[in-house]
Amino acid sequence: MAALVLTAGLATPLAPAAPQARAAADTSDTSGRKVLTVAVAQSVDSLSPFLAVRLVSTSIHRLMYEYLTNYDPEDARVVPGLATKWEASPDKLTWTYTIRSDSMWSDGRRATAEDAAWTFNKMMTDPDAATANGSFVANFAQVTAPSPTRLVIRLKKPQATMTALDVPIVPKHIWEKVTDFSEFNNDKSFPIVGNGPFVLTDYKPDSHVRLKANKNLWRGAPKFDELVFRYYKDQDAAVAALRKGEVSFVAGSPSLTPAQAASLKGEKNIRVNDAPGRRFYALAVNPGARARNGERFGDGHPSLHDRRVRHALFMAVDRKAVIDKVFQGHAVEGQGYIPPRYPAYFWKPPKDRLLAYDPARAARLLDEAGYRKNADGKRVGKDGRPLNYRVLCHATDPNDKAIGKYLQEWWGRLGIGVTLTCLDNVTDPWLAGKYDLAFDGWSVNPDPDFVLSIHTCAALPATPRDTGATDNFICDKTYDELYAEQLAEYDPARRAELVRRMQARLYDLGYMNVMAYPNAVEAYRTDQIASITTMPAKAGNIYGQDGYWSWWSAVPADSGDSSDGSVSTGAVVGIVAGAAALAGLVAVLALRRRATADDRE
């Protein structure tokens, strides 16, 4: 991965949106507004950026609020956001950001450094406000705003992600009135005050989120007047809505199935985008849920505390069959924790550590662990009870169900029972540790810090009654030491090596079985969307980007702004100010957050 030379610049605003015309995307709108409707398979968990973890929610927050920095859709390099430039002290412990003077809150007030300082300080002092993004500020010693355009962050030790503080900056004058951040969901008073490309104007749980274009956005207003995220529990129904023109875009859960994509190819006015994904698809093991105070909870199967058992389950999963039969080629076989889309960090196990598909070896490991077959062919422990694992799956994800059937077959041959528990919302049993294994997936960003942080001991909930940032309760001293080391490492090559070592540790522990790296398979109507930005520019995704480029850049088909209706990057960001390189400081591209994760569901 190319090193990121920290620079400063201003992005040139694009021309204003074209004159209003008949709405093409939302047939229920008769006002002449141009409405882009996106079908999504996730429901919103929270509209509070301090609490939200689901992909749909955090994607919406990217549209509502500016972050200090953003990422060029061409190549994901860091570009200005709310901050126009930044610099570090020689010891890398003090960072100073220049906050732009032309960003306005939607209620008419100016966004200032004080808003950013308040946002970070609230996360530093209120554990509830740190629920979603607390790992960003864990190393902060002090945050101040000496002036409206100057933000200063002092660190306890160097932190390599300081150009990627991927936290929505909220308006202090609105949020300082909140008394309980654990309960406030930001969904009662509309419109919601923000300074991003869109302003949230309406929300109905498990139905829709409606946003209007921010005509005063410093970067230039979106070309669609409104953006609607419409929830579909049934993915086939969402695809049918696309066919009928009731929605403009379908992302799937999080991707379309091979059958759905195949059925849409060749359809008039529909384009399928099939690009290498930034997501991994895995089976997560409950290692024994516990809190930071040492208290254990949940009811995960005790046999999974044995690494030999976990490895046996790994080796009884045929990843090639998953790719060929379930994803039908729209994915790459899983290995390490980070997808090959990020070659600097991508890791694959050497042959001597490879947990390849080998049912015979898996059976031997189970024998060694003391789980032998009884007369009925069932694996039993010393207590004589047969092994039977509860596997959490998402009722809305066809891949979970399909692979779940294979697990019943593959593990059944070993003498292990599988109970597939498919729920609309797996969050409650997951947070309570009441599962044995679960289908898991996260979107990984150019800098993988966040998806690495969710497996640290610090991410565990403080007590069983709290909610932590942990993915599946992993807590390992060796892994934690590597995590701390990579976070403080500014040399790209050395940091990348540390990240690969972390993946090797995760792989050897056997708590995360990465089965596949799915493609981003999505579709949109070309008679409603003339052009839209993919990220990266070549073979990139549209939904769930590292920024707000897709929906901000989308051109209505009847606007006259696009001649060919192709997926294009467009003139999205132009850096016009001079570079302000930090003395001797080169950091890797950095972007992480639960906010772009595919949610723990």
Side-chain angles (χ1 to χ4, degrees):
M1 171 177 271
L4 164 66
V5 178
L6 303 179
T7 61
L10 294 173
T12 54
L14 298 187
Q20 291 185 346
R22 176 185 56 82
D26 188 344
T27 56
S28 66
D29 187 279
T30 59
S31 66
R33 293 170 297 182
K34 298 174 184 176
V35 183
L36 193 163
T37 304
V38 178
V40 295
Q42 282 181 338
S43 58
V44 170
D45 55 341
S46 176
L47 288 175
S48 166
F50 297 98
L51 300 178
V53 298
R54 295 186 183 175
L55 178 61
V56 64
S57 309
T58 55
S59 295
I60 291 169
H61 288 141
R62 274 204 171 274
L63 302 171
M64 295 170 61
Y65 304 104
E66 283 277 15
Y67 298 2
L68 289 182
T69 58
N70 212 320
Y71 303 87
D72 193 312
E74 291 281 342
D75 55 12
R77 64 193 173 93
V78 174
V79 296
L82 184 61
T84 61
K85 63 181 180 180
W86 42 87
E87 61 182 356
S89 59
D91 63 3
K92 305 173 188 174
L93 291 178
T94 301
W95 285 73
T96 303
Y97 301 82
T98 299
I99 302 301
R100 66 176 58 256
S101 59
D102 56 352
S103 178
M104 305 295 294
W105 297 114
S106 54
D107 62 0
R109 295 201 189 190
R110 176 181 160 190
T112 69
E114 188 176 2
D115 295 304
W118 186 90
T119 299
F120 291 126
N121 276 305
K122 174 56 67 173
M123 294 167 60
M124 293 164 62
T125 57
D126 187 335
D128 294 325
T131 298
N133 298 304
S135 63
F136 274 133
V137 301
N139 184 44
F140 287 12
Q142 183 184 50
V143 183
T144 58
S147 77
T149 59
R150 189 164 175 253
L151 175 73
V152 180
I153 300 177
R154 188 163 59 83
L155 305 173
K156 300 171 186 175
K157 57 186 178 181
Q159 181 170 322
T161 59
M162 292 304 290
T163 57
L165 297 176
D166 202 8
V167 175
I169 303 301
V170 302
K172 174 186 175 182
H173 66 281
I174 299 296
W175 284 83
E176 65 183 353
K177 302 171 186 176
V178 177
T179 56
D180 187 347
F181 277 73
S182 69
E183 297 293 335
F184 183 70
N185 283 313
N186 199 26
D187 59 359
K188 294 296 186 288
S189 179
F190 300 100
I192 304 297
V193 176
N195 63 340
F198 290 89
V199 177
L200 197 151
T201 59
D202 184 45
Y203 165 63
K204 183 178 180 181
D206 296 327
S207 175
H208 68 269
V209 176
R210 185 178 293 272
L211 306 100
K212 70 175 181 180
N214 179 2
K215 301 299 184 182
N216 298 316
L217 182 71
W218 65 270
R219 199 186 291 275
K223 293 180 174 58
F224 276 93
D225 299 305
E226 288 191 351
L227 175 63
V228 178
F229 290 88
R230 186 174 295 166
Y231 172 67
Y232 286 84
K233 181 178 178 180
D234 183 281
Q235 190 162 301
D236 286 331
V239 172
L242 182 75
R243 279 198 176 90
K244 291 184 283 188
E246 295 173 353
V247 300
S248 315
F249 179 95
V250 172
S253 177
S255 293
L256 298 178
T257 66
Q260 289 166 342
S263 73
L264 291 173
K265 284 186 177 178
E267 289 243 355
K268 184 180 179 181
N269 297 326
I270 292 178
R271 175 168 287 130
V272 175
N273 184 46
D274 188 348
R278 52 192 283 264
R279 176 177 178 265
F280 68 78
Y281 182 86
L283 267 175
V285 173
N286 181 348
R290 60 168 160 161
R292 289 201 304 273
N293 66 1
E295 190 175 347
R296 293 192 175 272
F297 58 96
D299 58 3
H301 202 290
S303 66
L304 296 172
H305 299 175
D306 191 319
R307 190 186 304 199
R308 293 169 297 183
V309 174
R310 300 193 298 268
H311 282 187
L313 296 179
F314 254 59
M315 291 183 286
V317 172
D318 188 345
R319 293 174 184 78
K320 187 176 185 304
V322 168
I323 302 303
D324 295 343
K325 297 180 180 180
V326 177
F327 290 98
Q328 297 180 28
H330 296 274
V332 176
E333 186 175 333
Q335 298 182 73
Y337 190 61
I338 297 173
R341 176 160 163 173
Y342 307 111
Y345 295 118
F346 178 63
W347 173 86
K348 57 182 180 180
K351 288 184 178 180
D352 62 338
R353 295 164 76 174
L354 182 63
L355 300 174
Y357 180 57
D358 190 341
R361 186 181 170 200
R364 291 195 297 272
L365 280 177
L366 290 170
D367 287 341
E368 291 173 13
Y371 296 95
R372 297 179 176 274
K373 286 185 176 181
N374 63 13
D376 296 325
K378 305 293 183 183
R379 294 276 171 183
V380 296
K382 294 179 180 179
D383 58 2
R385 299 178 63 180
L387 286 185
N388 187 85
Y389 295 132
R390 301 158 300 160
V391 179
L392 276 177
C393 99
H394 306 84
T396 56
D397 193 334
N399 294 327
D400 284 9
K401 296 176 182 178
I403 296 172
K405 296 295 184 183
Y406 279 110
L407 292 180
Q408 290 174 330
E409 175 186 337
W410 293 329
W411 293 353
R413 293 172 187 164
L414 292 174
I416 296 174
V418 173
T419 300
L420 200 60
T421 307
C422 295
L423 305 172
D424 290 337
N425 184 343
V426 304
T427 299
D428 289 343
W430 197 312
L431 291 177
K434 294 184 177 180
Y435 67 98
D436 298 323
L437 299 104
F439 288 102
D440 197 11
W442 290 87
S443 291
V444 180
N445 300 284
D447 186 293
D449 177 71
F450 184 72
V451 292
L452 297 172
S453 75
I454 60 178
H455 296 307
T456 60
C457 299
L460 295 174
T463 74
R465 290 157 293 285
D466 296 308
T467 299
T470 186
D471 182 35
N472 63 318
F473 304 102
I474 294 174
C475 177
D476 176 71
K477 180 181 178 181
T478 299
Y479 181 88
D480 273 19
E481 291 171 349
L482 290 168
Y483 175 76
E485 194 174 350
Q486 67 81 31
L487 185 60
E489 180 56 70
Y490 281 86
D491 180 84
R494 287 200 293 266
R495 185 168 182 236
E497 174 57 28
L498 288 167
V499 170
R500 288 192 290 269
R501 287 172 60 190
M502 293 175 69
Q503 294 179 78
R505 180 63 178 172
L506 273 183
Y507 186 87
D508 291 344
L509 288 172
Y511 292 124
M512 293 290 295
N513 180 358
V514 177
M515 297 179 288
Y517 310 116
N519 287 3
V521 186
E522 47 203 3
Y524 68 96
R525 293 197 64 92
T526 56
D527 58 347
Q528 297 180 9
I529 303 174
S531 65
I532 193 166
T533 296
T534 60
M535 187 177 186
K538 296 180 180 179
N541 56 293
I542 296 171
Y543 183 71
Q545 292 182 355
D546 303 324
Y548 48 59
W549 310 115
S550 52
W551 314 126
W552 173 75
S553 71
V555 176
D558 59 356
S559 70
D561 281 17
S562 177
S563 60
D564 62 3
S566 62
V567 176
S568 66
T569 57
V572 179
V573 179
I575 303 301
V576 299
L582 299 179
L585 177 59
V586 180
V588 292
L589 294 172
L591 178 63
R592 62 101 276 199
R593 101 183 234 113
R594 173 166 294 233
T596 56
D598 287 317
D599 112 70
R600 69 172 65 251
E601 293 194 272

